[in-house]
Amino acid sequence: SSTKLYEQFEAMAEFFPAPASDSPFRAYVKAGYLDYRSHNFFGIGNFTRDEDETTFRLEQRHASAGASFQPHRAFTLSGEVGFVNSGIRSGEDGDSLEQLFDPLQVPGFLEQPEYLTYGGQVEVSFFDRWEEPPVGAAVRSSLHRFDGRGNTGPQVGTGSFLRAVAEVELRIPLGYRSRRIVYHLRTSHSMADGDADVPFFMQETIGGARSLRGYEEFRFRDTRNLTMNLEYRWEIWTFADMALFADAGKVFRRAGDLDFSDLHASYGAGLVFRTPGGFRLRFDVARSQEGIRVHIGSGPDF
């Protein structure tokens, strides 16, 4: 739950092999439910206006089964198959989406197909985790197919698509682990079949605590995006770091727009508490051209 009355639940069970096993194979099932009663929507594209903020309600259920293979600690190959069922309704806080935007021009607002999903991910990681904090590098790439089912309404053009994601993470010590540079780059590309379009609620967004920290959550959305985060961290106490950071990113529709033009930027400072197991509790204050944002969150970095 959240202060905006968001609800999100997820359960996961690993059923092969036994938890204590050192087998390189893992298999699991998971399921989840979310209900975002006032999910932000500013329009689609990189140049939407902050004053056009509206909301919609998103209810979503998903279930999946997957497996991973890790023949070496530096290499992991995984795959997953599942389904996603979504429902869109009017937002419950402020102006609802359909009060400002034409629903026919927002793909997926009037008709929400179910999705059969399947795909995989490859990760190559060279993190040294024998000491805290970990340093090193990791590269991840994934490809997932979303097969739309049951879309027969007025927006029949919204349907199946393919999503490709690439991610790079660097943690570079500056002489000692207690002072280091942290860099993260991620780009995502959702490519619809033929004349179809990717439903707006399935388009990935940037903005908020885990991408552009000086902007509102879900501030920018489109079928493709690029985000970069750069931090200088130094240890002020065992398992506690200060951080100075800068973020940049954008959303776009054409593959040819994958470049460093028209980027939105933010900067700020934060305090990070960490545990040897990789859990983080973080406080950030960030500024952008749209004002100052304060973020408090927990979980793994980036």
Side-chain angles (χ1 to χ4, degrees), residues 80 83 86 94 109 143 166 177 190 235 283 295:
E80 188 174 274
F83 81 92
S86 304
F109 185 81
L143 190 66
R177 291 173 183 258
S190 298
E235 189 175 78
F283 303 85
H295 302 284

Side-chain angles (χ1 to χ4, degrees), residues 238-260:
T238 304
F239 302 124
D241 298 329
M242 285 293 296
L244 299 176
F245 62 81
D247 308 319
K250 69 175 185 178
V251 298
F252 51 100
R253 183 154 293 254
R254 298 187 309 112
D257 290 331
L258 178 60
D259 55 32
F260 300 115

Side-chain angles (χ1 to χ4, degrees), residues 41 43-45 56 58 86-88 97 101-113 115 151 153-161 190 192 195-204 221-223 253:
F41 182 80
I44 298 174
F56 65 97
L58 171 64
S86 304
I88 302 297
L97 184 156
F101 298 92
D102 180 357
L104 290 173
Q105 301 302 314
V106 181
F109 185 81
L110 298 178
E111 184 78 9
Q112 299 91 48
Y115 284 97
N151 188 1
Q155 289 185 316
V156 70
T158 59
S160 303
F161 63 96
S190 298
D195 295 330
D197 206 346
V198 180
F200 81 103
F201 59 89
M202 296 294 286
Q203 295 174 2
E204 292 195 329
R221 76 174 65 225
D222 211 325
T223 55
R253 183 154 293 254

